Amino acid sequence: MSLASIAGAAVGALAASMYLDAKFHIRNDLRQGPRKLGALLGMRYVAQKMRENKLLYYHVLEDRADTAAGDNVAIIFEDRQWTYRELFHAIHPVANWLLKDLGIKKGEVVAINGGNSPEFLLIMLALEAIGASGALLNCNLTGNSLVHCVKLSTSRYVLADRDVEKLVSPVESELKDAGIQTLYYSPSFVETLKDTEPLPKERRTGLDPTATANLLFTSGTTGLPKGTIMTRARPLLLGKAVGGYLGLKPGQRMYTCLPLYHATALMLCTFPCLFTGATIVLGRKFSHSTFWPDVHRSKATHIQYVGELCRYLINQPPTPLDRGHNVRMAWGNGMRPDVWERFRERFGIECINELYGASDGMSITMNANRGDFSRDAVSVHGPLWHLMNRDERRILVDPATQEVIRDKNGWAIEAKADEVGEIISRMDVADPDKGTPQYFNNHSATVKRRIRDVFRKGDLWFRSGDLFKEDSDHRLYFIDRLGDTFRWHSENVSTNEVSDVIGELPQIEEANVYGVLVPNAEGRAGCAAVIFKEGAEKMDLAALAAHCLARLPRYAVPLFLRITKSMDHTGTFKRQKEKLRSQGIDLTAIKKSGDDQMYWLPPGTEAYVPFEQKDLETIKAGQVRL
Ligand SMILES: *[C@@H]1O[C@H](CO)[C@@H](O)[C@H](O)[C@H]1NC(C)=O
Ligand SMILES: *[C@@H]1O[C@H](CO)[C@@H](O)[C@H](O)[C@H]1NC(C)=O
Ligand SMILES: *[C@@H]1O[C@H](CO)[C@@H](O)[C@H](O)[C@H]1NC(C)=O
């Protein structure tokens, strides 16, 4: 008998509902297993691949090209597609260009700057095939941020998609002065490359699994982007682990229109598909008008999402394409509670597979949700899971200062059921840099994520920077980024919780909640930037206030409302809060940045009214108590 069935039998005597519940948790916990075991098995796998000198996707593709599986489709992009064999052969001319024309050396970092295209993937795989590394720039960057990322990456070249020339060309001469050359690629350029000579084997042997395979960049919402190191071993490990978890296999097709320069599309779609022999259906970019047509045409079985993408999709009027597709699983992160079930029902997708993880994080959790119990959660962690995973805890932190809260003896305090806490992960004190997130050429940023003396003298933990709640049924929910939660009237307000409540209203297209500084008041007051759906501009603001007052404690009801027409997002559709937060309730700054209108909910009232300069003056003069 397996451990799971013994455990199941042991609790069989309990009442039926308890039995089901306990069995669910035990099975679920055992399936997830201890993180340490996963890490150990991963290390063994990497060691074996090192001995075989087969650490690369080049090797995965090479092996497959020689078999019948070489005929399976690897990539579909618009009206072009590549089988695995074709993809393998297509790498060679690109790699020979890098090798012979550009003289790229083993271990050299080369910046790639482009949106989603097969050429982007070919360049990345070609760099890998010659033992070099790709710094995957966010192709939306311009000016200073772009120059910063290129210089940080140590690249001699920026290989940029012809499509982003307008953004890159203004800094070309500045890059040139720093010894960095910009070259543009396009499908027709890649077609002119013809040199299919075998690539030197020496480039793919003796590779260090801890060396940099790729650099991914943080979105830099607070300051300049940082480069996150993806080690040589990581793509293969993730491809294997995620491909196995999703049960991907040849014939299955995962559609992604998220940018390849971010971890979600690269590590959670591209590598798992390539590893398992499934098909990547690559969308150029997200657009609600092409999303379902692309999914239907490609017969995708899986779609990749981020929460805001799902919100856009359910905000569109229904069409016949909502149903009749082949999608059985939506896989991604950040699906919000006000969207989750509506999304599943409207599009008839059986499994919402929600994940939490970060390219510069240590913790990763998943929830293949099919019913009510684990809906809205990022995972279910039963008692057994906690026993097996004592190296991951949730601790109390002060959201205003981001400091860890300590007891009278100076130790951190674990969050109990229903308490909000930050997830931290134990690090190896003797070798803290091994297998942990590293920022490229920025050790001080790397160590800033760490904290010592948490539960005993000398221990070392990694801070996720993310707040979670686990309820008494062991469901784990993502609450907020630590830096986004704010304090008002001595209460902690999660920006996500407030925007979820506003998002329940059918007239709302999108809501972005943040805390603003207010003269003469402690903490930050809530402000909601909202976009109304077309035709709903005349929404009764008293109804909006009534909804918030009914659904939220008073301190969490946004004191300010900023009605806007568009919202800034990162490349993965995360809402940008930094600019809004810094403009706060400064009416001059708001006016300068567009024609947004400010409203507020004066103390004691129950309807939003225009917020004007005279109101700001009374607040400044301390004449109103907020
Ligand atoms: C807000 O968070 C801080 C830090 O976790 C905590 O000490 C405080 O009790 C919280 N306030 C409320 C009202 O929950
Ligand atoms: C390193 O990271 C810190 C933020 O943690 C940033 O202030 C600093 O500019 C970074 N240094 C470089 C060289 O990018
Ligand atoms: C970034 O660039 C891509 C590709 O050109 C584009 O589709 C996307 O809308 C841009 N994203 C942002 C946040 O500007």
Side-chain angles (χ1 to χ4, degrees):
M1 239 191 331
S2 74
L3 192 47
S5 54
I6 293 171
V11 293
L14 299 176
S17 65
M18 275 185 74
Y19 166 71
L20 280 176
D21 184 44
K23 193 164 103 174
F24 171 78
H25 281 307
I26 291 166
R27 286 225 171 129
N28 182 64
D29 288 354
L30 285 174
R31 194 169 50 234
Q32 297 182 71
R35 291 262 161 76
K36 269 198 180 138
L37 180 63
L40 197 69
L41 293 176
M43 266 154 65
R44 277 177 49 179
Y45 178 73
V46 169
Q48 177 203 331
K49 288 289 152 189
M50 267 176 75
R51 280 194 302 277
E52 295 171 6
N53 260 321
K54 285 194 169 178
L55 267 182
L56 305 180
Y57 273 87
Y58 182 88
H59 301 118
V60 173
L61 299 176
E62 182 177 35
D63 288 350
R64 195 169 297 144
D66 283 341
T67 68
D71 292 325
N72 294 335
V73 177
I75 302 177
I76 299 175
F77 180 78
E78 298 177 347
D79 51 7
R80 297 186 284 160
Q81 66 175 48
W82 284 256
T83 65
Y84 272 97
R85 191 172 301 117
E86 287 164 347
L87 177 63
F88 176 66
H89 291 299
I91 292 171
H92 290 76
V94 181
N96 277 317
W97 167 62
L98 296 167
L99 196 66
K100 296 177 186 175
D101 295 16
L102 307 190
I104 305 300
K105 302 192 180 57
K106 197 172 180 177
E108 180 168 349
V109 181
V110 179
I112 317 175
N113 186 18
N116 285 358
S117 70
E119 289 70 31
F120 180 99
L121 273 183
L122 282 175
I123 293 172
M124 200 188 75
L125 290 168
L127 284 167
E128 190 215 40
I130 60 168
S133 312
L136 313 184
L137 304 179
N138 177 338
C139 68
N140 297 292
L141 292 184
T142 55
N144 240 349
S145 311
L146 176 56
V147 173
H148 163 82
C149 289
V150 177
K151 285 187 179 165
L152 176 68
S153 75
T154 71
S155 310
R156 288 189 293 144
Y157 289 101
V158 180
L159 308 180
D161 192 319
R162 194 54 87 181
D163 287 349
V164 294
E165 185 173 356
K166 270 216 297 289
L167 303 183
V168 180
S169 59
V171 298
E172 251 182 76
S173 68
E174 187 178 351
L175 290 171
K176 195 155 179 233
D177 293 342
I180 300 159
Q181 197 185 340
T182 306
L183 299 172
Y184 293 97
Y185 65 83
S186 62
S188 55
F189 166 74
V190 170
E191 256 173 47
T192 64
L193 304 172
K194 299 288 184 206
D195 185 349
T196 55
E197 194 178 328
L199 304 169
K201 206 163 179 180
E202 160 279 322
R203 289 299 184 104
R204 301 186 296 279
T205 54
L207 295 171
D208 173 1
T210 66
T212 302
N214 285 117
L215 285 184
L216 302 176
F217 291 86
T218 60
S219 36
T221 44
T222 53
L224 290 167
K226 295 191 279 274
T228 306
I229 295 179
M230 189 164 80
T231 62
R232 272 289 169 226
R234 200 113 196 267
L236 213 53
L237 272 175
L238 268 167
K240 183 173 190 292
V242 174
Y245 165 71
L246 296 176
L248 288 177
K249 50 180 190 258
Q252 295 185 332
R253 301 173 160 205
M254 191 188 296
Y255 176 71
T256 192
C257 55
L258 301 176
L260 286 171
Y261 57 76
H262 272 317
T264 315
L266 190 65
M267 317 239 259
L268 303 173
C269 169
T270 305
F271 291 141
C273 285
L274 291 179
F275 190 90
T276 56
T279 303
I280 305 159
V281 184
L282 188 63
R284 190 181 286 274
K285 60 179 182 185
F286 173 68
S287 147
H288 55 72
S289 59
T290 56
F291 190 92
W292 292 113
D294 279 354
V295 168
H296 276 264
R297 193 159 4 91
S298 63
K299 302 198 164 48
T301 52
H302 296 63
I303 53 174
Q304 204 177 28
Y305 69 81
V306 288
E308 285 316 296
L309 183 153
C310 302
R311 186 183 301 279
Y312 292 138
L313 291 174
I314 61 165
N315 275 338
Q316 300 311 310
T319 83
L321 294 183
D322 290 357
R323 294 293 186 110
H325 48 69
N326 292 0
V327 178
R328 288 187 298 276
M329 184 189 285
W331 159 241
N333 82 293
M335 182 85 84
R336 299 305 306 162
D338 56 327
V339 172
W340 197 296
E341 203 54 45
R342 280 153 75 198
F343 187 83
R344 178 179 8 235
E345 276 173 14
R346 168 150 167 200
F347 300 112
I349 296 171
E350 171 195 327
C351 177
I352 306 235
N353 205 333
E354 169 78 10
L355 147 127
Y356 162 79
S359 56
D360 56 348
M362 281 182 74
S363 178
I364 179 162
T365 68
M366 297 160 195
N367 173 21
N369 164 261
R370 292 190 162 80
D372 289 343
F373 179 68
S374 68
R375 185 174 56 217
D376 306 346
V378 291
S379 207
V380 179
H381 286 165
L384 194 55
W385 186 93
H386 286 289
L387 271 180
M388 293 187 294
N389 292 286
R390 294 300 287 156
D391 289 346
E392 182 174 307
R393 313 276 183 98
R394 283 184 315 117
I395 57 170
L396 299 184
V397 290
D398 183 332
T401 61
Q402 308 193 17
E403 296 283 326
V404 171
I405 294 177
R406 292 177 180 269
D407 65 15
K408 61 181 189 306
N409 299 316
W411 307 129
I413 306 163
E414 279 197 69
K416 296 199 244 331
D418 290 326
E419 280 183 344
V420 173
E422 179 183 357
I423 286 190
I424 57 170
S425 307
R426 190 195 299 276
M427 305 186 82
D428 181 355
V429 180
D431 195 0
D433 290 333
K434 189 171 153 201
T436 58
Q438 307 286 324
Y439 294 117
F440 189 70
N441 285 348
N442 197 336
H443 194 64
S444 77
T446 298
V447 298
K448 222 170 147 185
R449 302 288 302 272
R450 302 176 185 174
I451 178 170
R452 249 173 226 290
D453 304 333
V454 176
F455 298 112
R456 63 174 57 146
K457 193 94 202 122
D459 65 0
L460 186 67
W461 296 72
F462 177 86
R463 295 188 68 173
S464 68
D466 288 320
L467 299 172
F468 294 81
K469 183 167 85 181
E470 189 178 308
D471 70 7
S472 48
D473 287 325
H474 304 290
R475 294 174 290 199
L476 184 71
Y477 299 95
F478 176 77
I479 300 297
D480 217 357
R481 284 289 300 164
L482 182 50
D484 288 346
T485 285
F486 59 88
R487 173 102 34 97
W488 181 242
H489 288 182
S490 317
E491 299 282 357
N492 308 313
V493 183
S494 147
T495 59
N496 271 327
E497 285 183 351
V498 178
S499 58
D500 289 348
V501 165
I502 299 175
E504 288 166 1
L505 289 166
Q507 297 93 335
I508 301 291
E509 174 95 26
E510 198 177 349
N512 186 3
V513 175
Y514 50 98
V516 294
L517 293 171
V518 176
N520 297 313
E522 286 289 314
R524 283 175 179 265
C527 182
V530 301
I531 303 177
F532 287 117
K533 283 209 190 114
E534 240 166 81
E537 281 90 353
K538 295 273 168 294
M539 185 190 174
D540 181 0
L541 294 182
L544 176 60
H547 173 76
C548 291
L549 287 162
R551 300 276 285 106
L552 292 167
R554 180 85 201 200
Y555 63 82
V557 174
L559 190 58
F560 297 96
L561 197 62
R562 179 167 177 168
I563 296 179
T564 185
K565 291 270 184 291
S566 72
M567 215 78 91
D568 288 342
H569 293 93
T570 68
T572 44
F573 305 105
K574 293 207 178 81
R575 298 179 189 125
Q576 300 271 28
K577 297 184 195 276
E578 207 47 44
K579 195 175 92 196
L580 292 169
R581 206 159 27 206
S582 68
Q583 289 177 352
I585 55 170
D586 177 348
L587 290 170
T588 321
I590 293 165
K591 187 161 224 159
K592 238 189 246 162
S593 80
D595 54 4
D596 293 1
Q597 299 137 46
M598 286 301 282
Y599 290 81
W600 71 315
L601 194 59
T605 67
E606 305 209 325
Y608 288 103
V609 295
F611 181 68
E612 289 162 359
Q613 196 60 38
K614 66 174 171 34
D615 302 313
L616 184 55
E617 297 309 327
T618 55
I619 293 175
K620 278 189 180 152
Q623 288 159 0
V624 276
R625 269 186 57 111
L626 296 175

